[in-house]
Amino acid sequence: MRRRSIVFLAVVACSLYGCPAKKSEIATNVEQSATDSAAHPASPGGPAIVPSAVSGYTVLVTIDDGHIVVANPDQIPPGPAIFTVTNNGKQLHNLFVEGEGIHRAPDSDNIAPGATVSFDVKLKRGTYTLYCPILDHRQKGETTTLIIKERDTARPATSTAIPGPAKSTS
């Protein structure tokens, strides 16, 4: 009976935490999950990975096979910004923001078709190049220039992003 209980507990532990090779790895995984997750309103009843949340102006970016489109690029002010990137193509894509001392991409892996990711950037006045760094996508037209002008002080932050893994928006 006792052996059956131990086997049952081992199966449950493996299903919850994966089956690490060493006992010390189980302790490490439990410690990390306890510190890296927290309840979040967007999470229906379960834990969500919640690194430091940043608020800023929402920059909507759509990547398709062959081009990148930024919604309302002339209205983006300098300051904190949340880039929300949607892959409307049939291939994997990603977004790299480069300019004015910034070299930034999402913290997650490449963006799967139909998926959306968010990441924060602090924009300064100036010119930025946005492009897909995968294979030859940039040479095939997946690039655009974004020019940030003086800030309208009456414009409040429009979103809060919680960087994390790419999630499909079906």
Side-chain angles (χ1 to χ4, degrees), residues 12-30:
V12 170
C14 283
S15 68
L16 291 174
Y17 300 109
C19 289
K22 299 177 187 168
K23 187 176 179 181
S24 64
E25 288 179 6
I26 292 175
T28 302
N29 289 342
V30 171

Side-chain angles (χ1 to χ4, degrees), residues 94-130:
N94 208 326
L95 183 73
F96 196 81
V97 178
E98 188 174 272
E100 304 304 321
I102 294 175
H103 304 282
R104 181 91 163 86
D107 294 330
S108 60
D109 292 330
N110 293 328
I111 307 165
T116 297
V117 298
S118 294
F119 64 100
D120 62 307
V121 174
K122 184 160 184 176
L123 298 171
K124 301 176 188 173
R125 287 182 37 213
T127 303
Y128 297 84
T129 302
L130 283 60

Side-chain angles (χ1 to χ4, degrees), residues 19 65 140:
C19 289
D65 302 330
K140 290 182 175 179

Side-chain angles (χ1 to χ4, degrees), residues 41-125:
S43 172
I49 303 300
V50 184
S52 59
V54 178
S55 65
Y57 187 85
T58 302
V59 179
L60 298 175
V61 180
T62 303
I63 301 179
D64 207 332
D65 302 330
H67 62 279
I68 296 175
V69 176
V70 178
N72 304 313
D74 295 334
Q75 296 178 10
I76 302 168
I82 305 301
F83 278 72
T84 301
V85 185
T86 301
N87 179 354
N88 281 345
K90 294 180 181 176
Q91 303 173 354
L92 284 177
H93 293 289
N94 208 326
L95 183 73
F96 196 81
V97 178
E98 188 174 272
E100 304 304 321
I102 294 175
H103 304 282
R104 181 91 163 86
D107 294 330
S108 60
D109 292 330
N110 293 328
I111 307 165
T116 297
V117 298
S118 294
F119 64 100
D120 62 307
V121 174
K122 184 160 184 176
L123 298 171
K124 301 176 188 173
R125 287 182 37 213

Side-chain angles (χ1 to χ4, degrees), residues 129-149:
T129 302
L130 283 60
Y131 62 92
C132 179
I134 297 177
L135 301 172
D136 60 349
H137 290 197
R138 186 176 186 181
Q139 291 78 10
K140 290 182 175 179
E142 291 177 24
T143 185
T144 191
T145 301
L146 181 63
I147 300 172
I148 303 301
K149 300 175 184 166

